[in-house]
Amino acid sequence: MGNKKRLIDIAAGRERADRVLKNCKVISVFTNEIIEGDIAIADGVIAGVGSYEGAEEVDLNGKYVSPSFVDGHVHIESSMVSPYQFSKQIVPRGTTAIVADPHEIANVAGLAGIEYILDATEDIPLDAYVMLPSCVPSTEHETSGAVLKAEDLNKLIAHPRVLGLGELMDFVGVVNGNQDIVDKISIAEGKIIDGHGPLIKDRELNAYVAAGAKTEHECSTLEEMKDRLRRGMYIQIREGTAARNLVELVKGLDKDNLRRCIFCTDDKHPEDLIHTGHIDNNVRLAIENGLDPIDAIKMASLNPSECYGLIGRGAIAPGYKADLIVFSDLKDIRVEKVYKDGVLSAEDGKLLGEYEEHLDERTLSKVIIEDYTEDMVDLKLRTGDVNVIKLIDHSLVTSLAERKVDVKDGSFVYNKEEDISKLVLVERHTGKSTTFVALLEGYGIENGAIGTTIAHDSHNIIVAGDNDRDIVNCINHIKLMGGGIAISSGGEIEDCLELKIGGLMSTEDIETVNDKLTAMMKIARGHKVNEGVDPFMTLSFLALPVIPDVKITDKGLFDVVEFKFIDINRV
């Protein structure tokens, strides 16, 4: 952080600062005060708050200055753009640091995927810290692009921007003392470990925390939040795209527990990032719901910094990193300027300067499947009595439904009068092209198919459609693109989005990606995809065998409640 003696001399007023922000209303997250004065900066560090002179002086005319924001838990991949393009969107919103869990790209490319995230964030104006993914794959009941054991993760645990072990989604394995997960926990000794343990309580929760889980972003009720706070966990109050818990959880904040709570986004899609913002949205929403503005800023800055051991970050005080935001209204915080390491890095919603886009050949175009024909997605049934995945509007949770469908010559036959489509999962990583076909109720698609390689967490190809011709066309076009999203109708591709980074992320800017998704959403609605269903996001979570009640993997139809495969045939 520069020359210590020079910093002392500048702080004492014996030497001019590199830059002084004059006439500020300085937010003190330590005392919940607003202090009027100047901020002196030297070598990217705050020298002092008071009356100072600098080689460069910027008059802020009484505007507020606070520490910039930290996202305590985020998957960059959910933005569907590269880390650099992601930074172009969030830094102007006031986020200058993130704690990223790259388990999406790790499920596709293994250690190379994690290394890509680290390398791609090395020289951009965003401090990206990484938690090593603990569950690659999320379960043994699917085929991912990689399997990461403790010995694999150990190769990166000493990286200076690796803070610890990512979310322990296999909470059953943790509570039961599964040796594989215990080995992973052991390599993170002395570092922080993220939790992901919804609904667990009592002795099981004690065991989970005793194992090392120190944060939790899956709380959806005040009782869950209180249970975890009592056990010394940090609560990451999430406001993302798929899950939004802030309005409920902010009701439980008080002076006694607020310092153990931080903000995060987890997963946030392009449209939300563009239109509602990032952590700045969490802050505004918390204030709207009654939280003191300085407390909201504290939860977005100092609290996550202390949680993750980011020393010298998250406050405006001598010796702290000069990552600062400027705004005019304390009750409706809209970021106007962002200073990163004391340098103006974003203004009026735009990142200043150009940075090089980093790509890694090891993470590109990994769709290794054979060419598909319609007979390869034929669904053989013993009778018409079947188990069906039933969608629930506006939810990632599904239910298991018992239905009777049409069968001809031993194969499923589409019935236009019923809202039951095929759901096809194609393993894309190994070249084996293992395929499983299930039935889906509630998606509502007519005269077409929609497919994607965003299929949590193993990210194989998943396609829903009401005819085999378009299903196969989607699969083959996704292979041609090397990963992405495709819509087919009448045997023709109507539109598509190439996601060349692992089949998860585009190298285009976020506005271009969002425009494409908006156009594709309109096409999907034209094919009568139900209004209570997100055509792309809902589809992407139907392959995640840790969300109840029933999901699909390349190995079969999976009952998440019973944690076992079930037969699609009921008789």
Side-chain angles (χ1 to χ4, degrees), residues 27 64 66-67 69 93-94 276 279-285 287-288 292-298 300 325-336:
I27 304 294
Y64 294 97
S66 86
F69 303 143
R93 295 281 198 167
T276 67
I279 293 297
D280 59 319
N281 177 62
N282 295 52
V283 171
R284 284 191 299 272
L285 191 58
I287 294 169
E288 287 172 17
D292 176 83
I294 298 180
D295 282 337
I297 291 169
K298 186 184 305 182
I325 60 173
V326 179
F327 53 93
S328 297
D329 189 341
L330 187 59
K331 293 185 178 180
D332 183 25
I333 296 174
R334 307 283 172 175
V335 177
E336 299 167 24

Side-chain angles (χ1 to χ4, degrees), residues 518-566:
T518 300
M520 293 177 72
M521 179 71 75
K522 185 175 181 180
I523 293 171
R525 295 299 181 205
H527 286 295
K528 305 295 179 65
V529 173
N530 290 332
E531 287 297 326
V533 170
D534 184 301
F536 313 121
M537 185 176 71
T538 300
L539 190 61
S540 73
F541 278 95
L542 287 174
L544 184 54
V546 293
I547 296 182
D549 283 346
V550 60
K551 294 294 186 283
I552 184 178
T553 81
D554 60 301
K555 297 181 180 181
L557 189 62
F558 193 72
D559 186 324
V560 181
V561 178
E562 297 294 330
F563 222 65
K564 66 179 183 180
F565 287 105
I566 57 175

Side-chain angles (χ1 to χ4, degrees), residues 256-309:
D256 296 317
N257 64 29
L258 185 132
R259 291 287 275 116
R260 302 292 292 186
C261 297
I262 70 180
F263 289 131
C264 78
T265 60
D266 197 6
D267 296 285
K268 203 151 193 184
H269 291 183
E271 183 179 22
D272 276 344
L273 285 168
I274 291 170
H275 295 299
T276 67
H278 191 239
I279 293 297
D280 59 319
N281 177 62
N282 295 52
V283 171
R284 284 191 299 272
L285 191 58
I287 294 169
E288 287 172 17
N289 282 272
L291 191 63
D292 176 83
I294 298 180
D295 282 337
I297 291 169
K298 186 184 305 182
M299 288 173 59
S301 56
L302 182 64
N303 290 9
S305 299
E306 292 184 345
C307 172
Y308 284 97

Side-chain angles (χ1 to χ4, degrees), residues 26-182:
V26 180
I27 304 294
S28 172
V29 292
F30 294 121
T31 61
N32 278 46
E33 293 178 284
I34 298 172
I35 302 165
E36 296 191 3
D38 307 332
I39 302 173
I41 300 169
D43 299 320
V45 177
I46 296 166
V49 176
S51 179
Y52 285 96
E53 296 180 352
E56 178 189 345
E57 296 183 350
V58 181
D59 192 345
L60 293 183
N61 298 306
K63 292 187 175 182
Y64 294 97
V65 183
S66 86
S68 60
F69 303 143
V70 180
D71 189 335
H73 175 72
V74 63
H75 305 286
I76 297 173
E77 302 96 317
S78 292
S79 71
M80 298 171 67
V81 293
S82 69
Y84 170 46
Q85 298 298 334
F86 181 61
S87 74
K88 287 177 68 175
Q89 186 62 31
I90 69 168
V91 172
R93 295 281 198 167
T95 303
T96 62
I98 61 173
V99 181
D101 184 336
H103 78 221
E104 313 293 0
I105 191 66
N107 268 282
V108 174
L111 285 182
I114 304 172
E115 289 168 349
Y116 161 71
I117 294 294
L118 286 166
D119 293 343
T121 54
E122 186 68 43
D123 296 310
I124 61 175
L126 174 70
D127 293 330
Y129 301 95
V130 164
M131 303 295 283
L132 296 181
S134 65
C135 297
V136 178
S138 63
T139 74
E140 63 183 2
H141 304 296
E142 57 194 316
T143 304
S144 61
V147 176
L148 294 181
K149 299 290 189 180
E151 56 265 31
D152 302 308
L153 298 176
N154 198 45
K155 296 173 184 176
L156 290 176
I157 195 68
H159 190 286
R161 285 192 286 120
V162 168
L163 301 181
L165 190 65
E167 52 184 315
L168 296 172
M169 291 188 292
D170 184 10
F171 55 84
V172 174
V174 174
V175 170
N176 290 333
N178 177 278
Q179 192 60 51
D180 180 65
I181 196 69
V182 169

